[in-house]
Amino acid sequence: MNCIVCHAQLTASDYCPKCGCNVKALKKVYALSGLYYNQGLEKAQIRDLSGAITCLKRSLKMNKLNIQARNLLGLVYFETGEVVAALSQWVISKNMMPEGNPASGYIDKLQKNANRLDMINTSIKKYNQCLEYCRDDNPDMAKIQLKKVLSNNPKLIKGYHLLALIYMKEGEYEKARKRLKAAARIDKTNTTTLRFLREIEEQTGRATNLDSRFKMKEKEVEKQDGSVVYRSGNDTIIQPPEYREKSITNTLVNLVLGLLVGAAALWFLVVPAKTQKINQEANKKVVEYSDKMATLSAELDRMQEEMDASTDSVSTAQSQIEQANTKASGYENLIKAWQAYREGSYSTAANAIEGVNAESLSVEAKSMYDSMMSEIGSTVKSNYENEAASAMESGDYDTAISNLEKALNIGEQDSDTMFNLAQAYDKKGDTENANKWYQKIIDEYPGTDTAQDAADYMQANGGQAAGNSGDDDAQSGQSTGEPVTQDGEE
């Protein structure tokens, strides 16, 4: 024992030999710590683990440097299934006394058995999950998980308590009693175990016997008549003399009866037990496979979500690439058109500018586009009309309609281009759009030959041309609307 002031070795005197400090109280505290340690050791030897934990905690409260008390507390925690608490005590003990400390051996032995340590960690996680199941009012899953926990860590007293509590809530008091008796074999004086057992006794009206079913009986006296006297605790048991049959016939009869009784016991006891064991193993496998299927299903859903997200990203990237390529192609055609325009090759510039989408251009590029179109717009428009005429001759009315609509968007609209567009719709069989364009020609170019031709074609299609009077305007207002060009303008 060392002085707490100067750390000098103390003697039998109540004063420190070096600094003269009064260490009488210190010695009493250390003596109390040793006393509580001895009490905890005695309680641990008779498996009064709860009492041992209480005494050892008091010992450490008196003297936190009591290495023996701390190591024993870790062992008691380990015996009750509290592996984390046990490791905590051993690690503290090892830090206090690195050399010659048994705690180092305990830690090394536990760490070398990695499978056992991993199983204990898994059981603790599953126990915490069982608590969550109970809070979520899901006792069935909690019972399944607790059985796994207790099979992996059969000394976890808290697991027995939680499983017994679930059984008590469901009214299965005998199952709860069985679990609590298993917990009592680990820690005889655990207050939670005893409190639960008392509740079960009040509900069932039957006391719980925590003693061993069979006790060793000491043979005391054998009398002359063959009777034997045994002592079991404070009770004296007299076993009567054994009666033996003298007849061979009786012996054979007894032998046959014994065989029959043995066969009946085998049939009624062993076979159902094996069947029950097989069913339990099958149920256990079903639960394991169900857990695996749930895990695989969750993993599959996660991978499917990732794949869908990747597909959306790819689609978005492809769309952006296509837009960028279209925009780049438009700028490339604009540059070609500008070069040809500056060189005076208006025909080449007109051909190149046809591949430019004016809506995707920047402000500066749009200014170049408008500047060129003011000079070569008529050439571009003529190209569209020529392509439309070629398409009409070959029967490709969709291409003709597309080119004529592009031509109408360049400069001012003219009746000939509008009439050709109406003719393209008419030959395609789309009389509704054809009549719309015929009506527009009649409205915008009244009195012209083109308007008269448009009225004739419209009448041939079953339509009726509207004039410029008020009634005609009302009739025109009831139509389906103005024809729509490619740019969305009426």
Side-chain angles (χ1 to χ4, degrees):
M1 183 185 304
N2 297 327
C3 177
I4 61 174
V5 178
C6 64
H7 302 288
Q9 187 70 26
L10 298 179
T11 61
S13 175
D14 292 338
Y15 296 92
C16 176
K18 184 177 180 180
C19 64
C21 178
N22 190 344
V23 294
K24 184 176 181 180
L26 178 64
K27 288 184 176 182
K28 287 184 178 181
V29 169
Y30 276 41
L32 283 174
S33 177
L35 177 62
Y36 284 130
Y37 165 73
N38 292 330
Q39 291 179 355
L41 180 59
E42 292 176 358
K43 291 180 181 293
Q45 289 173 346
I46 61 172
R47 300 202 69 81
D48 181 7
L49 302 185
S50 297
I53 290 173
T54 303
C55 292
L56 293 172
K57 285 184 176 179
R58 291 177 180 175
S59 176
L60 292 175
K61 188 175 182 180
M62 295 295 176
N63 180 14
K64 67 179 181 179
L65 300 177
N66 193 336
I67 301 300
Q68 291 180 333
R70 195 173 294 278
N71 291 341
L72 181 58
L73 180 60
L75 290 172
V76 175
Y77 276 137
F78 186 81
E79 188 65 19
T80 59
E82 300 288 342
V83 181
V84 176
L87 282 173
S88 300
Q89 297 297 329
W90 291 337
V91 169
I92 295 172
S93 175
K94 184 178 178 181
N95 290 332
M96 290 180 175
M97 190 175 74
E99 300 296 334
N101 193 337
S104 301
Y106 301 152
I107 296 172
D108 294 339
K109 186 176 181 181
L110 188 60
Q111 289 178 346
K112 286 180 181 178
N113 193 350
N115 293 331
R116 174 64 177 167
L117 186 60
D118 184 61
M119 185 179 298
I120 292 173
N121 291 334
T122 303
S123 65
I124 293 173
K125 293 179 182 178
K126 288 184 177 180
Y127 172 78
N128 294 331
Q129 183 64 42
C130 292
L131 292 176
E132 293 297 329
Y133 285 145
C134 292
R135 294 189 183 101
D136 297 337
D137 196 16
N138 191 359
D140 294 332
M141 289 299 298
K143 286 192 294 185
I144 294 172
Q145 289 287 6
L146 280 173
K147 290 178 181 179
K148 292 182 180 180
V149 169
L150 294 176
S151 64
N152 294 333
N153 190 1
K155 295 182 179 181
L156 186 61
I157 295 180
K158 295 191 296 186
Y160 291 109
H161 290 166
L162 183 58
L163 184 56
L165 195 61
I166 294 173
Y167 282 137
M168 291 169 63
K169 182 180 179 181
E170 296 177 351
E172 298 180 356
Y173 294 106
E174 294 305 322
K175 291 184 179 180
R177 192 198 306 270
K178 182 179 178 181
R179 300 298 177 180
L180 292 173
K181 289 175 72 174
R185 285 194 292 270
I186 299 172
D187 185 3
K188 292 183 178 180
T189 59
N190 187 280
T191 55
T192 304
T193 303
L194 299 177
R195 187 172 68 252
F196 286 176
L197 283 173
R198 185 174 61 183
E199 177 69 21
I200 293 174
E201 291 172 356
E202 292 176 356
Q203 295 294 331
T204 60
R206 187 168 66 88
T208 303
N209 184 15
L210 297 179
D211 295 333
S212 301
R213 181 176 299 180
F214 301 105
K215 291 186 176 181
M216 295 298 294
K217 296 183 288 185
E218 298 178 357
K219 183 175 179 181
E220 191 175 73
V221 179
E222 183 174 359
K223 297 184 178 181
Q224 293 181 354
D225 58 356
S227 61
V228 181
V229 178
Y230 292 93
R231 181 172 297 278
S232 177
N234 295 326
D235 299 330
T236 301
I237 301 172
I238 301 175
Q239 179 179 345
E242 183 179 358
Y243 176 75
R244 298 180 181 178
E245 294 287 347
K246 302 295 184 179
S247 174
I248 298 176
T249 303
N250 292 334
T251 303
L252 293 176
V253 171
N254 291 335
L255 181 61
V256 172
L257 290 175
L259 292 175
L260 293 176
V261 172
L266 179 65
W267 178 257
F268 290 105
L269 298 178
V270 178
V271 173
K274 289 186 177 180
T275 304
Q276 184 179 7
K277 183 178 180 181
I278 292 172
N279 292 334
Q280 289 177 352
E281 292 178 354
N283 292 333
K284 185 177 180 180
K285 290 292 184 182
V286 169
V287 173
E288 291 178 358
Y289 291 148
S290 299
D291 293 342
K292 290 181 180 179
M293 288 295 294
T295 303
L296 292 175
S297 178
E299 184 67 17
L300 182 61
D301 293 340
R302 184 185 64 79
M303 295 177 67
Q304 183 65 37
E305 292 176 358
E306 292 180 356
M307 186 175 68
D308 293 341
S310 300
T311 303
D312 294 340
S313 299
V314 171
S315 300
T316 304
Q318 288 178 349
S319 176
Q320 293 176 352
I321 291 172
E322 291 176 358
Q323 293 177 0
N325 290 336
T326 303
K327 191 172 184 180
S329 176
Y331 276 101
E332 184 179 354
N333 290 326
L334 180 65
I335 293 172
K336 291 181 180 179
W338 180 255
Q339 290 176 349
Y341 172 75
R342 293 186 63 184
E343 293 173 358
S345 179
Y346 295 151
S347 177
T348 303
N351 292 332
I353 207 170
E354 290 179 10
V356 178
N357 184 8
E359 294 180 355
S360 63
L361 298 177
S362 62
V363 177
E364 293 80 2
K366 186 67 166 58
S367 176
M368 293 174 58
Y369 177 84
D370 293 339
S371 177
M372 286 188 291
M373 287 299 294
S374 64
E375 296 292 335
I376 62 175
S378 58
T379 304
V380 176
K381 184 173 184 178
S382 178
N383 290 341
Y384 283 134
E385 291 175 346
N386 292 334
E387 291 178 2
S390 300
M392 288 279 286
E393 292 177 359
S394 62
D396 188 0
Y397 300 116
D398 290 331
T399 303
I401 290 171
S402 177
N403 287 320
L404 288 170
E405 288 177 345
K406 292 178 181 178
L408 285 174
N409 291 330
I410 299 175
E412 296 181 356
Q413 294 184 350
D414 60 284
S415 59
D416 292 337
T417 305
M418 293 169 64
F419 185 79
N420 291 334
L421 179 59
Q423 286 282 291
Y425 275 119
D426 202 350
K427 292 181 179 180
K428 182 183 177 182
D430 188 356
T431 57
E432 183 179 358
N433 280 322
N435 290 339
K436 289 178 183 179
W437 283 104
Y438 288 143
Q439 183 63 50
K440 188 173 183 180
I441 294 171
I442 294 171
D443 293 339
E444 294 184 3
Y445 304 97
T448 61
D449 294 339
T450 305
Q452 184 62 42
D453 293 339
D456 295 339
Y457 277 107
M458 188 173 179
Q459 186 176 4
N461 289 336
Q464 185 176 0
N468 292 328
S469 64
D471 294 338
D472 293 337
D473 291 338
Q475 184 177 359
S476 176
Q478 295 175 358
S479 64
T480 57
E482 292 294 336
V484 180
T485 64
Q486 190 179 20
D487 293 336
E489 298 177 354
E490 292 186 352

